[in-house]
Amino acid sequence: MKKITMLALLASAVPFGAMAESITGGVTLSYTEHSEDGFDIETKGIDGRLAIDMDNGLSFDFDLGHAKMQPDGAPFDLSAEFYSIEAAYRFGQGFRAGLFADRLTLGLGIIPIDFTLKTNGLSLGYEGKGYEVEGFVGQTSMGFPFLAPGL
């Protein structure tokens, strides 16, 4: 279900492509190994970014990713999935306002329970010559399915 949600988020950005002034993005594949005092951990991941800027001041940003961590000798894997969506409008004189929604899910492979953080909020910013300032106001909810179903 989570992978279908991520694909749907990317597919929803396609109609904006025809009207966009610029589209940028990228995909990152990662592989890391950490070792300290005999404890080894291997991490594999993939994440993608897509930014769409319209010629009318609107912009849309989409981020999503997945990572899997495998501690050496452990009977479980750790996993993380995230997505982020932002819509913003650039006013005249360098001012900017936007809405965003983020979701991060962490899982422990040995048990079918995930920990989820969901954040929704507003952003306000200003961009001048050589600098940029941005502030965020949001609300985060934590989901523990084993404590309170439906969060």
Side-chain angles (χ1 to χ4, degrees), residues 1-149:
M1 182 65 176
K2 294 175 189 174
K3 291 179 182 168
I4 293 171
T5 302
M6 289 184 178
L7 290 173
L9 291 173
L10 278 180
S12 67
V14 173
F16 296 111
M19 303 180 301
E21 183 176 299
S22 70
I23 299 174
T24 58
V27 174
T28 303
L29 299 172
S30 62
Y31 176 81
T32 60
E33 288 184 16
H34 303 280
S35 181
E36 176 133 359
D37 297 330
F39 178 73
D40 299 329
I41 188 166
E42 180 181 279
T43 305
K44 300 173 189 169
I46 182 170
D47 65 79
R49 302 158 297 290
L50 179 66
I52 302 171
D53 287 324
M54 315 295 267
D55 62 357
N56 60 3
L58 287 174
S59 65
F60 302 92
D61 292 324
F62 304 91
D63 296 303
L64 58 97
H66 176 81
K68 186 174 221 174
M69 294 150 270
Q70 299 169 316
D72 191 30
F76 60 86
D77 294 336
L78 303 170
S79 64
E81 293 180 349
F82 71 89
Y83 69 80
S84 173
I85 303 169
E86 181 180 9
Y89 184 77
R90 291 192 187 278
F91 299 96
Q93 307 298 321
F95 289 99
R96 177 181 185 277
L99 303 169
F100 66 90
D102 301 334
R103 181 182 173 125
L104 170 65
T105 302
L106 302 171
L108 183 61
I110 198 168
I111 54 176
I113 297 171
D114 293 334
F115 170 72
T116 302
L117 292 173
K118 297 177 188 175
T119 304
N120 299 309
L122 303 170
S123 64
L124 297 172
Y126 179 78
E127 186 174 341
K129 293 181 181 180
Y131 66 92
E132 184 176 340
V133 177
E134 190 166 12
F136 302 89
V137 176
Q139 180 176 355
T140 300
S141 63
M142 294 188 289
F144 297 97
F146 55 94
L147 294 177

